[in-house]
Amino acid sequence: MQRSEFEPGHYVRHPQKPEWGLGQVQSAIGRRVTVTFENAGKVVIDTDVVALQITEVS
C-alpha cells in the first residue's frame, strides 16, 4: 500500500470546487482521501484525478 501525502487533520481545498469551502482530511489510504468539506459534507477524493491543495488555517 502506498503512503499518501495527506494525513488526518490536514486542511485542504478542492481547486475545481471552491464553493465546497475548507475541508479537513479524515483518512488517507493510498490515492483515496476522505475529506469533510464545510459546504459539501464528506467526499472521497481520488488524488490521481484531483490535486487537493493543502491549506494553512489561521
Side-chain angles (χ1 to χ4, degrees):
M1 187 180 317
Q2 72 188 81
R3 184 171 166 84
S4 175
E5 68 180 284
F6 299 96
E7 295 181 7
H10 278 163
Y11 288 95
V12 297
R13 293 194 183 273
H14 188 304
Q16 288 86 35
K17 302 284 187 179
E19 67 274 12
W20 286 6
L22 189 63
Q24 186 176 30
V25 174
Q26 303 302 307
S27 67
I29 301 171
R31 66 183 204 206
R32 295 172 54 92
V33 179
T34 302
V35 181
T36 302
F37 288 96
E38 293 174 308
N39 302 317
K42 188 189 300 186
V43 180
V44 178
I45 304 286
D46 181 338
T47 58
D48 281 351
V49 177
V50 176
L52 291 172
Q53 301 167 334
I54 296 176
T55 303
E56 295 292 324
V57 177
S58 50

